[in-house]
Amino acid sequence: MSNYLVAMEAAWLVRDVEDVDDAIGVAVSEAGKRLNEQDKEYVEVEVGVTPCPACGEPFDSAFIAANTALVGLLLEIEVFNADGENHATRIAKSEVGGALRDVPLSVIEVVETEAEED
């Protein structure tokens, strides 16, 4: 049994915004609120990054059209005592997906972590 850090990307829709920074703030706040209501405070929420197609530099994953924003969120969760990467992925998607119903989730990275010593 191993511990894993599972990173997922979520697509969050924010309506009635005019500014990218406002959209990001609303998306992170709403996601955090829904996770906290389900006692999932241990899930880290932050804005995701997208590489620029021209130069490759990363920028915040947020796009606004018609006062509606699509914000890419990065969600990280530590999964303990999983049988492998696939098992850790299923656990993470179940934990986060249960709190964020109707939010598309995609696993982007799974990293095995060191077990903490007592």
Side-chain angles (χ1 to χ4, degrees):
M1 298 280 221
S2 299
N3 300 335
Y4 295 89
L5 180 64
V6 180
M8 293 176 283
E9 184 176 49
W12 201 274
L13 197 62
V14 181
R15 299 183 190 282
D16 299 322
V17 291
E18 296 178 13
D19 182 84
V20 170
D21 291 332
D22 289 341
I24 290 169
V26 169
V28 170
S29 176
E30 286 179 355
K33 181 180 176 185
R34 284 177 57 181
L35 287 162
N36 288 342
E37 286 173 352
Q38 298 291 320
D39 296 325
K40 310 272 188 240
E41 296 90 7
Y42 48 85
V43 178
E44 295 290 324
V45 180
E46 57 190 55
V47 66
V49 292
T50 301
C52 172
C55 66
E57 288 293 316
F59 62 92
D60 291 339
S61 291
F63 177 77
I64 295 179
N67 292 338
T68 302
L70 178 63
V71 179
L73 295 178
L74 176 64
L75 308 169
E76 291 183 338
I77 181 173
E78 182 91 24
V79 177
F80 300 99
N81 299 321
D83 290 330
E85 286 187 15
N86 288 336
H87 187 223
T89 298
R90 287 193 312 272
I91 292 169
K93 286 181 91 171
S94 174
E95 285 287 307
V96 174
L100 303 179
R101 298 227 181 265
D102 301 323
V103 175
L105 293 174
S106 176
V107 174
I108 55 175
E109 186 175 25
V110 180
V111 178
E112 188 171 358
T113 59
E114 297 290 323
E116 294 181 13
E117 294 183 26
D118 293 334

